[in-house]
Amino acid sequence: MHIIHGTWIPDDTNEFIQKGAFYLWVETDVPVSTSRNRTGTVHPRHLAHTALATFLMEKLGLQEPVSGALARTLCLKYFLLPTVAGKPSPSFELLRYMDEEEPMEFDLAPWQICCYQVPDIITALNDIHFIALNAAEDFQLGADILFWHQYSQAIKGIIAKDQYLPAQKYREISSPSINRGATTKGKRAKNSSSFELHPAWELLSDTYETTIQRYVAAMPGVCTAGLNSPDVGAALFDKESLLRHFSEYLLNNIVTGTPFTAKFDQQIAGTLLYGCVYPYRPALLQASADSLEDYKHWLAWRANLTKAHTEAGFTLCFRLEEASPTDIDNWQLHFLVAARHDPSLKLSLDEYWYLNPRDRAEAARPFGKDFEKNLLLALGYAARIYPTVWAGMATDHPAGCRLTLDEAFAFLKESAWVLGDAGYSVIVPAWWTPEGRRRTKVRLKTSLRSPKGAATVGPGYLSLNTIISYEYQLSVGGQVVTEEEWQQLVNAKTPLVQFRGQWMELDRDKMQQLLQFWQTHQHEESEITLLDMLKIGTEAEDDLEWEHDQSLRDMLSRLNDKNAFAPIKDPESLQGTLRDYQKRGVAWLQYLESLGLNPCLADDMGLGKTLEVIARMLKEREETGDVPPTLVIAPTSVLGNWRKEIERFGPELRTLVHQGSTRFKDKQTFAEACQKHDVVLTSFALARLDEKLLQGLEWHRVVVDEAQNIKNPQAAQTRAILKLAAPHRLALTGTPVENRLRDLWSIFNFLNPGYLGKEAHFRKAFEMPIYKDNDLTRSTTLKKLVEPFILRRVKTDKRIIDDLPDKIEQKMFCTLTPEQASLYEAVVKDVTEQLNEAEGIQRKGLILSTILKLKQICNHPAQFLQDGSAFTTERSYKLQRLGEMIEEVIESGESVLVFTQFTEIGSALERYLEQNKHYNTYYLHGGTSVARRERMIAEFQDPETEPSVFILSLRAGGVGLNLTKANHVFHFDRWWNPAVEDQATDRAFRIGQRKNVFVHKFVAMGPMEERIDTMIEDKKRLSSLVVGTDESWLTELDNDTFKDLIALRRSAVLE
Amino acid sequence: MAQFSRTWWGQRFIAALEQFTDPARLGRGRSYASGGRILEYTLAKGTVAARVRGSINPYFGVYKEPIYRTTITIKAITAGDWTKVIRQIASRADLVTKLLMNEMPDTIEDAFSGLGLHLLPHSERDFETSCSCPDWANPCKHIAGVYYLLASALDQDPFVMFELRGLSRDDLHAELVRTPLGKILASALTSDDVPVEPVESYYTLPTKEPAAVVASHKEFWTGPKRLPAPLATASQAGVPALLIKKQGDYPPFWHKDVSFISVMEELYDRVRTKNRQMK
């Protein structure tokens, strides 16, 4: 794994002009052998020379004109890095990939690093940032590069707003004067001061100042750690001055590096500007007295500029009042002022001048001192931008001015916007809002028709086969107009017209175009599918509008307001009750399916998506009777849970689990078996392996659980799943899908192929503008496109919070792997023999030790075998499922607690989560020092820290722990004493918790865990037998009960 | 022909002069206005008195560079009339504001013409000139030179015209404070001299932090706080060169005829569109 770092390093020099450069370096986790490292100061884990050049060219796409040229441009720099025991510690980002702990104490020592000097900083950083977004496995960007990237973009924005000006830097030089003649023996030489004026560029911008402060506050220390040479006593740079140095250099670099034309050069020749633009060309000679005078003029000019936008205590506002229809050239532009500190406090100048002088002073008070002077100045500056203001000032009580229709239109079209951008507040009539302006459109009037030949259906019935037909109409302001009226408007000479009582803007060319379009197409009768209608409706919002008949209108409003769904009643065959939001969810599923639209259910983990799907399946059988089977594809670790939940909540559904070596292999027999079942469960792997079996069968619905597993459209399993034929498709996922655009596309490609266009088109139309250019309009359009299809409720949603209890417990049932099953059986066999002979204390000991062994097996074989074997997910579904669930939670931006009673599990989990999944993980156990413990808890709780995982031992969940930031708690293994368990989870998060908390308890299916669990549930109600804090109550059971408890049921293993 | 004075006001002054003086003669004075030939000049009570260095001219028997005394007096507007004019000016916010911004409003003559007066001289009789040079032409080069100098002085300070017509600064101040808007203008007339600002280094000097205390390993690498949210790019470009537009065109350090603002607009535009880092 490589981490890319880089920072700005100013040159070491005492000269007046101190330059600098941006240096990039690459850290790795594998130490590079350095036979040349005699001095011991070369950083052992970074790419150097040819390795660096190769990396830059291959991974970052840098070009070199001649082979080997890049390697020659690399240079050596030094960085002050945290050092422990003579070695530099890995960076924070790299630590996750290495087997080292974060050092608590360290020194800063200089290390030599091979660097690449970056030209064109802004573009280079932006390119690297974009490349890194899609290359997460190969390399990652360090926090320092992310900082500089974002900061350089911010500076680019300020430069793009022209917020800088040409400047002169005055530098005093003292030099001894030359003595005239030789008669001055004994006289002391006088020093006369002279000066130099250096042309420069200066940023003058409030935005710049606030940006500097915000970024200094967030700047990583490593950004200030660059050095040109490892002197003794080297220190870090001061953050603010480094940032300013960088910004000023960058500004200079950009302006002086811009190409200008010869004509332009001529225009500026001989002026102050020439030197600023071409600092390296010899300046035309100018007498120094003149240049000093010019410098003073420049100072005064700059002082005025600075004053111009900081002094007044108010902002100037303009309000346009529309003319009445009878006097169309009488528009009024009123002048007002709004207080800076409270923009809602406004004063119209009309009123102000009307008051007598005493009252005026009173009225002006909130607007700062020297109100009238600043007012005149403000009006003058505004007039420079919009000269019509002068007309309103030809009086000693300036309060507004009159505009003709044409002037008003010009104001609305352009000046209003220009003034607004210059910082003035502009209030325009309500009909000039963006929606109000787009009033002339072509309208599509839709109606429903049944397919040809079918019996006519009543109004309001919308089904898969209903065809939507449309015809074109002309509309203005939402009302249909005739062709004559339209033509009249087109013929009007004025850009603003009064139409049916309201003013509106006319774009005559556009209207002409629309008229022609309508004339050619008006007699067509066209059809459109529902899906296309949704798509076009969102993408072409500006030019088209729709008039839907009642049923379509209802449908659209329901699609967009998901809370409008009336919750269904609990299906009769449901064993249990649905919560309110779940009922609404099922209603929504039903509705979308009835429209032929394939939905994605994206509720937060723990809210019960599985149950909603089960309810849907039950309901459809209630309503329509015989329905072909639904195929559910899910990760192997979840199949057991599905089966368990169906058994528990919908036992009427006949379930077939297609898994393991005993599954059907023959197409014929498989097809027959499927006919006899309602639900067929299978894994992703088998969806690919057995694709021939699964294809060609008549499925009623294909459900993909944990849909992030089909996020890669090229993967074989994705392609296999896409080939399955079914009238309905459903995707379930707990992660916010809209955040990862490529995943989103793939899931939609499964659900509603073609809706988001082809992959290449999607990338160009959405992914690049949103990610690379930060385009908000594309982002909004995409959200609108996908919104009708995704239902996502989160735990923090106020509408469902009341439905949820504060602490929601969920049991995750996992099956055993074959390895676990065989180990389990071996232990059980062993114990059964010994149990018959043991008595008393020996017996108790035997029972307790057996339970311990079995627990270990159910957790992970490596824990039981203690043979240092791999802690992988293939050997334990519990581990696999835990990893998947934690991934969902972290993706949703939340933090997690994991409890285990075994220290081996705790440390193995920590290693697994840190190194394989790269989450920010903490592990607190008996051996953790107090200082470290405090640090971990503080970091975990810090709102600035990213979502993290905190692993604890059950015993440590004791005194004084505050881990309220987590709202998911996982019990990896159980302590068969509910009081202790509950206490641990409660104490860990009860105080200050405002969110609902989900507690997930892992239970291995089949073996004793499940059965003890049932027993405990029963006993909880009686609350008599379980006393004390340990598990010794289990020893009270008699042999037969115990043997029965630990026997392994076949159903436990899905192989 | 290149204009000597760039603001419309200075040009109007010259144009007004050209109405009643020989333009050719006037033109000869241009070279005298620069090049250090006018050694000094004073303006008091409507009279400009200057010492101008002449040239060697054997024809006139001049063998070494002489220094001539040149005076120009412009007919004054009476104090009473000035009172009325100032009151007129102060009744219009647009005139006051432009003067506040150190510009001569182009409608300034309105305030004078209503009273049958002119601000700019418009006939020979408004001027009285004299020069100690032997050239009998009127205007001689030296007088013409002083005219041009006045025109450029008008560029920088429109109130010089008022002074030339007999209203001293103090009197101006006194008249202005009689009206509310005038008071505002009066307060802004006193200008401060801006002191030089010497700097130690061209860019902000990057200093070193003394013995920095680094809080934690994580903080060293990732920073004490999360990065601020990046600002979304504006969908439309803003007003170009907005910052400098607030101060008028032709700032005093700009000695060319072409508009400073238009030059800067082109510069900003090219930086935004032609620089490969900004695309």
Side-chain angles (χ1 to χ4, degrees):
Chain A
M1 168 54 71
H2 303 287
I3 310 285
I4 304 190
H5 295 283
T7 192
W8 176 254
I9 307 183
D11 293 345
D12 271 350
T13 171
N14 286 327
E15 285 183 22
F16 183 63
I17 301 183
Q18 183 185 14
K19 301 192 194 161
F22 197 91
Y23 297 96
L24 195 80
W25 58 283
V26 180
E27 191 190 9
T28 76
D29 49 359
V30 175
V32 178
S33 65
T34 48
S35 52
R36 306 183 239 172
N37 186 8
R38 267 171 266 125
T39 54
T41 52
V42 176
H43 193 287
R45 266 188 328 258
H46 76 283
L47 291 183
H49 310 297
T50 32
L52 180 60
T54 319
F55 182 89
L56 292 172
M57 288 189 288
E58 285 176 13
K59 308 289 185 186
L60 300 181
L62 290 180
Q63 312 280 351
E64 61 176 359
V66 169
S67 163
L70 190 58
R72 282 197 287 273
T73 63
L74 304 176
C75 51
L76 296 174
K77 293 285 165 192
Y78 295 84
F79 286 81
L80 275 182
L81 298 178
T83 308
V84 177
K87 285 224 191 73
S89 76
S91 66
F92 179 76
E93 293 87 0
L94 196 58
L95 270 180
R96 260 179 230 173
Y97 297 89
M98 298 182 66
D99 210 354
E100 281 184 40
E101 279 211 339
E102 197 186 327
M104 293 282 292
E105 286 186 356
F106 51 86
D107 295 313
L108 289 178
W111 292 94
Q112 185 195 82
I113 292 182
C114 182
C115 299
Y116 167 67
Q117 185 177 332
V118 178
D120 289 350
I121 297 167
I122 298 184
T123 13
L125 287 179
N126 200 31
D127 288 342
I128 293 178
H129 183 258
F130 184 70
I131 293 175
L133 273 182
N134 297 317
E137 290 81 42
D138 265 341
F139 61 87
Q140 220 183 305
L141 297 181
D144 49 352
I145 286 276
L146 288 172
F147 173 85
W148 286 112
H149 168 255
Q150 207 172 294
Y151 183 71
S152 63
Q153 290 293 312
I155 293 290
K156 178 182 172 187
I158 293 173
I159 296 179
K161 293 201 135 198
D162 302 341
Q163 288 178 348
Y164 54 96
L165 29 97
Q168 299 269 295
K169 304 274 181 185
Y170 183 94
R171 181 190 185 196
E172 272 173 356
I173 311 178
S174 18
S175 53
S177 67
I178 306 165
N179 287 330
R180 295 181 191 233
T183 56
T184 52
K185 238 198 256 182
K187 277 206 191 143
R188 280 213 248 126
K190 273 196 287 193
N191 276 347
S192 68
S193 63
S194 62
F195 63 91
E196 274 176 3
L197 284 174
H198 293 261
W201 292 91
E202 226 177 73
L203 286 158
L204 187 64
S205 154
D206 291 336
T207 320
Y208 174 61
E209 292 301 320
T210 42
T211 303
I212 289 260
Q213 295 312 316
R214 285 161 78 208
Y215 278 86
V216 164
M219 192 174 188
V222 62
C223 293
T224 59
L227 300 168
N228 287 297
S229 61
D231 293 327
V232 177
L236 299 174
F237 281 105
D238 163 65
K239 288 179 182 177
E240 184 170 335
S241 56
L242 186 71
L243 209 54
R244 283 186 191 270
H245 184 259
F246 170 74
S247 316
E248 292 163 23
Y249 180 88
L250 193 60
L251 172 68
N252 215 1
N253 183 254
I254 287 184
V255 182
T256 56
T258 305
F260 293 98
T261 59
K263 177 165 167 235
F264 183 79
D265 290 354
Q266 243 184 347
Q267 283 179 332
I268 62 173
T271 68
L272 181 150
L273 261 191
Y274 191 84
C276 293
V277 173
Y278 297 111
Y280 298 114
R281 294 197 194 165
L284 300 179
L285 293 172
Q286 241 185 335
S288 48
D290 275 351
S291 44
L292 180 60
E293 202 182 293
D294 278 346
Y295 169 68
K296 289 196 175 179
H297 286 311
W298 174 80
L299 272 181
W301 177 76
R302 189 188 68 170
N304 278 331
L305 276 182
T306 328
K307 260 198 299 179
H309 65 243
T310 49
E311 260 191 13
F314 61 85
T315 41
L316 195 56
C317 311
F318 297 91
R319 182 171 71 85
L320 180 67
E321 186 192 325
E322 63 193 38
S324 73
T326 48
D327 189 8
I328 59 171
D329 275 324
N330 189 14
W331 297 69
Q332 295 290 332
L333 186 66
H334 299 281
F335 303 153
L336 303 97
V337 291
R340 264 242 172 124
H341 58 88
D342 179 11
S344 63
L345 189 60
K346 288 202 175 70
L347 174 65
S348 122
L349 291 185
D350 274 326
E351 288 171 24
Y352 177 77
W353 297 116
Y354 195 62
L355 302 167
N356 65 54
R358 234 177 311 128
D359 292 338
R360 277 188 208 170
E362 192 54 46
R365 197 142 10 141
F367 300 102
K369 55 189 189 107
D370 288 335
F371 174 64
E372 288 187 7
K373 170 166 155 216
N374 286 327
L375 175 64
L376 289 184
L377 281 173
L379 285 168
Y381 292 135
R384 284 222 172 100
I385 301 173
Y386 181 55
T388 315
V389 171
W390 289 123
M393 289 179 72
T395 147
D396 56 352
H397 291 168
C401 56
R402 193 174 144 213
L403 302 175
T404 63
L405 179 62
D406 287 327
E407 288 173 333
F409 181 67
F411 178 79
L412 284 172
K413 225 19 211 239
E414 199 179 301
S415 322
W417 190 78
V418 167
L419 285 169
D421 201 59
Y424 299 103
S425 169
V426 181
I427 304 162
V428 292
W431 47 263
W432 189 260
T433 56
E435 293 77 37
R437 290 175 63 190
R438 287 190 246 106
R439 307 197 81 209
T440 52
K441 295 191 199 188
V442 166
R443 170 189 276 217
L444 280 81
K445 182 167 149 89
T446 58
S447 56
L448 295 181
R449 265 191 344 179
S450 42
K452 299 191 179 48
T456 47
V457 280
Y461 183 73
L462 197 60
S463 80
L464 279 185
N465 301 321
T466 316
I467 296 177
I468 302 170
S469 63
Y470 61 92
E471 57 173 295
Y472 289 105
Q473 288 181 331
L474 294 169
S475 101
V476 172
Q479 296 172 351
V480 181
V481 299
T482 65
E483 192 178 346
E484 291 79 40
E485 281 176 298
W486 187 274
Q487 195 69 54
Q488 258 179 10
L489 287 174
V490 173
N491 291 337
K493 299 285 195 270
T494 51
L496 289 174
V497 287
Q498 269 254 340
F499 181 73
R500 296 197 192 166
Q502 272 224 323
W503 284 99
M504 48 173 277
E505 178 200 5
L506 284 190
D507 179 340
R508 280 215 299 284
D509 293 329
K510 180 161 159 236
M511 289 191 69
Q512 193 62 39
Q513 274 174 15
L514 290 178
L515 183 63
Q516 281 169 350
F517 179 82
W518 181 79
Q519 280 164 345
T520 24
H521 292 275
Q522 67 173 217
H523 297 297
E524 285 174 10
E525 238 187 32
S526 317
E527 293 168 359
I528 193 174
T529 65
L530 179 58
L531 212 58
D532 281 337
M533 191 182 94
L534 285 174
K535 180 171 170 180
I536 295 178
T538 310
E539 286 186 338
E541 253 185 334
D542 287 354
D543 297 323
L544 292 178
E545 68 180 21
W546 303 80
E547 183 193 325
H548 300 294
D549 69 358
Q550 188 67 32
S551 31
L552 271 174
R553 224 180 310 160
D554 286 344
M555 178 212 74
L556 282 174
S557 75
R558 288 179 87 189
L559 275 183
N560 288 318
D561 181 13
K562 299 175 186 136
N563 292 305
F565 285 94
I568 56 159
K569 296 207 206 20
D570 282 333
E572 281 169 19
S573 36
L574 185 70
Q575 303 288 333
T577 47
L578 294 171
R579 301 203 185 101
D580 219 30
Y581 69 88
Q582 287 173 316
K583 292 183 191 166
R584 268 188 255 270
V586 180
W588 178 79
L589 280 178
Q590 209 162 306
Y591 189 64
L592 256 75
E593 288 192 338
S594 72
L595 294 175
L597 302 174
N598 289 323
C600 173
L601 185 56
D603 288 342
D604 249 0
M605 188 177 72
L607 287 180
K609 298 188 281 293
T610 318
L611 188 50
E612 288 179 47
V613 178
I614 294 176
R616 173 78 194 114
M617 291 194 283
L618 288 173
K619 202 115 186 126
E620 69 190 352
R621 280 161 180 78
E622 247 170 60
E623 287 169 357
T624 3
D626 213 12
V627 180
T630 296
L631 177 66
V632 175
I633 305 177
T636 318
S637 51
V638 184
L639 291 179
N641 198 59
W642 268 93
R643 203 183 70 197
K644 195 82 184 155
E645 293 222 5
I646 297 178
E647 256 175 44
R648 190 166 145 209
F649 292 106
E652 274 185 23
L653 295 169
R654 303 160 291 173
T655 319
L656 169 66
V657 181
H658 181 72
Q659 179 78 1
S661 44
T662 52
R663 67 185 192 276
F664 292 102
K665 300 264 172 49
D666 173 59
K667 195 153 175 163
Q668 182 77 1
T669 34
F670 182 63
E672 283 170 9
C674 287
Q675 296 280 20
K676 302 203 194 83
H677 289 87
D678 298 308
V679 183
V680 176
L681 298 168
T682 191
S683 69
F684 283 100
L686 288 179
R688 177 178 55 85
L689 278 174
D690 288 352
E691 62 174 293
K692 298 255 171 5
L693 271 189
L694 299 170
Q695 283 167 25
L697 288 182
E698 201 191 292
W699 303 106
H700 178 65
R701 180 189 294 108
V702 174
V703 177
V704 173
D705 192 10
E706 304 297 337
Q708 58 270 26
N709 283 292
I710 55 165
K711 67 183 180 186
N712 181 358
Q714 315 304 338
Q717 77 188 18
T718 312
R719 283 193 282 179
I721 292 177
L722 287 176
K723 292 199 199 125
L724 298 168
H728 301 290
R729 288 177 169 184
L730 173 62
L732 303 176
T733 175
T735 54
V737 184
E738 315 90 60
N739 292 350
R740 291 257 200 79
L741 294 188
R742 285 196 189 170
D743 303 357
L744 181 71
W745 183 86
S746 187
I747 292 181
F748 264 80
N749 193 37
F750 163 70
L751 291 174
N752 302 297
Y755 185 66
L756 289 181
K758 289 210 167 58
E759 197 178 354
H761 169 261
F762 179 76
R763 208 167 288 189
K764 216 172 102 176
F766 290 105
E767 194 186 340
M768 298 270 299
I770 296 178
Y771 278 152
K772 201 163 188 199
D773 305 327
N774 225 7
D775 188 334
L776 277 180
T777 39
R778 294 272 77 204
S779 175
T780 318
T781 307
L782 181 61
K783 279 205 167 66
K784 278 202 203 155
L785 274 174
V786 301
E787 222 189 345
F789 299 89
I790 301 182
L791 180 63
R792 175 171 172 78
R793 273 96 41 110
V794 293
K795 290 186 290 307
T796 48
D797 195 334
K798 290 193 184 48
R799 287 172 290 223
I800 62 171
I801 270 185
D802 298 328
D803 264 351
L804 299 174
D806 284 337
K807 188 170 79 163
I808 303 148
E809 270 191 21
Q810 258 202 347
K811 302 236 169 70
M812 270 313 299
F813 290 96
C814 294
T815 52
L816 297 182
T817 59
E819 186 188 359
Q820 285 172 314
S822 59
L823 287 171
Y824 191 97
E825 281 189 323
V827 167
V828 166
K829 195 151 157 256
D830 212 25
V831 149
T832 319
E833 286 167 9
Q834 295 176 14
L835 203 56
N836 298 328
E837 290 147 14
E839 302 241 336
I841 297 189
Q842 218 189 1
R843 180 178 173 274
K844 275 197 186 168
L846 183 61
I847 289 186
L848 289 175
S849 73
T850 307
I851 293 202
L852 186 65
K853 286 188 198 159
L854 295 178
K855 270 193 196 178
Q856 290 174 330
I857 296 174
C858 289
N859 273 356
H860 197 283
Q863 183 193 10
F864 172 70
L865 295 170
Q866 303 270 349
D867 58 355
S869 52
F871 191 73
T872 56
T873 53
E874 286 79 38
R875 298 171 78 190
S876 160
Y877 290 136
K878 239 202 221 188
L879 179 63
Q880 193 178 60
R881 193 65 200 130
L882 179 72
E884 289 164 0
M885 293 178 89
I886 291 186
E887 181 171 337
E888 271 190 37
V889 173
I890 299 260
E891 292 266 322
S892 307
E894 293 170 344
S895 294
V896 165
L897 298 183
V898 179
F899 280 104
T900 173
Q901 56 190 258
F902 298 105
T903 48
E904 313 95 70
I905 292 283
S907 45
L909 273 179
E910 186 196 13
R911 221 174 311 123
Y912 172 70
L913 293 170
E914 274 254 6
Q915 288 172 29
N916 293 58
K917 300 292 227 169
H918 312 302
Y919 299 133
N920 194 24
T921 315
Y922 303 95
Y923 175 40
L924 182 65
H925 53 89
T928 314
S929 71
V930 175
R932 200 193 195 94
R933 182 182 138 124
E934 298 298 314
R935 246 265 309 278
M936 281 162 61
I937 296 176
E939 258 184 48
F940 183 76
Q941 286 287 98
D942 186 351
E944 296 275 320
T945 310
E946 71 209 281
S948 318
V949 182
F950 204 108
I951 305 174
L952 315 153
S953 91
L954 216 48
R955 276 171 243 272
V959 200
L961 272 188
N962 182 3
L963 295 166
T964 52
K965 191 166 165 208
N967 55 354
H968 282 269
V969 176
F970 291 87
H971 287 275
F972 193 69
D973 41 57
R974 312 281 306 277
W975 184 255
W976 298 120
N977 190 312
V980 173
E981 236 184 25
D982 289 344
Q983 224 176 34
T985 51
D986 278 350
R987 223 183 287 176
F989 61 74
R990 197 191 329 136
I991 307 152
Q993 181 62 271
R994 265 171 277 137
K995 312 174 269 200
N996 300 68
V997 174
F998 284 77
V999 182
H1000 308 273
K1001 299 187 176 175
F1002 280 86
V1003 180
M1005 272 170 73
M1008 59 158 194
E1009 293 207 340
E1010 193 184 351
R1011 250 158 298 140
I1012 299 187
D1013 181 63
T1014 325
M1015 194 184 288
I1016 291 190
E1017 290 299 322
D1018 294 337
K1019 300 222 181 301
K1020 261 199 214 172
R1021 273 174 253 146
L1022 300 179
S1023 73
S1024 52
L1025 234 105
V1026 187
V1027 290
T1029 59
D1030 58 19
E1031 302 173 315
S1032 50
W1033 61 275
L1034 285 161
T1035 58
E1036 305 295 320
L1037 303 169
D1038 63 75
N1039 280 6
D1040 285 328
T1041 323
F1042 185 67
K1043 277 191 233 173
D1044 188 49
L1045 202 63
I1046 62 176
L1048 181 62
R1049 301 232 177 94
R1050 265 289 104 199
S1051 60
V1053 190
L1054 284 180
E1055 301 286 311
Chain B
M1 65 176 189
Q3 310 287 353
F4 189 85
S5 149
R6 286 101 17 85
T7 63
W8 73 276
W9 186 243
Q11 286 169 24
R12 282 276 293 278
F13 180 70
I14 297 290
L17 291 177
E18 282 173 353
Q19 294 295 326
F20 51 87
T21 51
D22 179 357
R25 291 228 166 99
L26 201 55
R28 257 183 266 135
R30 206 180 301 122
S31 56
Y32 266 67
S34 60
R37 284 196 175 262
I38 302 186
L39 300 172
E40 53 173 309
Y41 81 106
T42 53
L43 169 57
K45 293 200 175 129
T47 299
V48 181
R51 287 171 63 221
V52 184
R53 187 157 38 130
S55 42
I56 297 175
N57 197 329
Y59 182 73
F60 281 115
V62 178
Y63 293 103
K64 67 169 186 179
E65 281 194 346
I67 296 183
Y68 300 116
R69 301 191 107 76
T70 313
T71 63
I72 300 180
T73 306
I74 306 184
K75 183 164 139 197
I77 294 180
T78 66
D81 282 339
W82 268 122
T83 309
K84 290 189 206 141
V85 168
I86 298 291
R87 203 171 333 131
Q88 264 289 71
I89 292 180
S91 71
R92 285 179 49 157
D94 56 344
L95 299 179
V96 171
T97 305
K98 280 224 166 120
L99 290 169
L100 201 55
M101 298 198 289
N102 212 38
E103 275 174 28
M104 181 62 86
D106 44 5
T107 46
I108 189 71
E109 286 282 11
D110 294 351
F112 290 83
S113 57
L115 298 159
L117 302 163
H118 300 271
L119 179 57
L120 283 174
H122 76 303
S123 88
E124 272 187 335
R125 277 167 282 129
D126 289 335
F127 281 92
E128 240 179 63
T129 62
S130 77
C131 179
S132 59
C133 74
D135 188 356
W136 289 97
N138 190 359
C140 62
K141 286 176 284 194
H142 318 103
I143 293 176
V146 176
Y147 277 149
Y148 274 100
L149 200 66
L150 279 180
S152 80
L154 285 172
D155 276 343
Q156 298 197 353
D157 184 358
F159 293 107
V160 166
M161 198 66 233
F162 288 35
E163 271 194 65
L164 284 174
R165 298 306 306 271
L167 188 70
S168 71
R169 291 288 164 140
D170 293 334
D171 291 339
L172 172 63
H173 201 274
E175 291 293 341
L176 283 175
V177 296
R178 293 197 199 172
T179 54
L181 288 187
K183 255 192 245 172
I184 298 174
L185 190 51
S187 67
L189 282 182
T190 48
S191 57
D192 312 302
D193 193 29
V194 187
V196 294
E197 290 177 11
V199 292
E200 290 293 316
S201 66
Y202 189 68
Y203 301 116
T204 302
L205 191 68
T207 55
K208 293 274 190 176
E209 256 187 15
V213 177
V214 182
S216 73
H217 189 256
K218 178 179 176 197
E219 201 181 294
F220 178 81
W221 288 100
T222 62
K225 272 177 86 156
R226 222 173 250 186
L227 285 179
L231 302 164
T233 46
S235 46
Q236 276 172 302
V239 179
L242 182 64
L243 177 64
I244 58 165
K245 275 190 178 150
K246 288 198 169 158
Q247 285 289 101
D249 212 339
Y250 297 109
F253 56 82
W254 182 254
H255 304 299
K256 290 220 135 178
D257 301 331
V258 64
S259 149
F260 175 70
I261 288 187
S262 73
V263 165
M264 284 307 293
E265 276 184 322
E266 185 178 340
L267 184 134
Y268 285 131
D269 182 65
R270 289 194 76 93
V271 167
R272 263 181 275 119
T273 54
K274 302 283 185 226
N275 188 300
R276 47 172 196 277
Q277 287 202 66
M278 291 294 291
K279 290 203 197 156

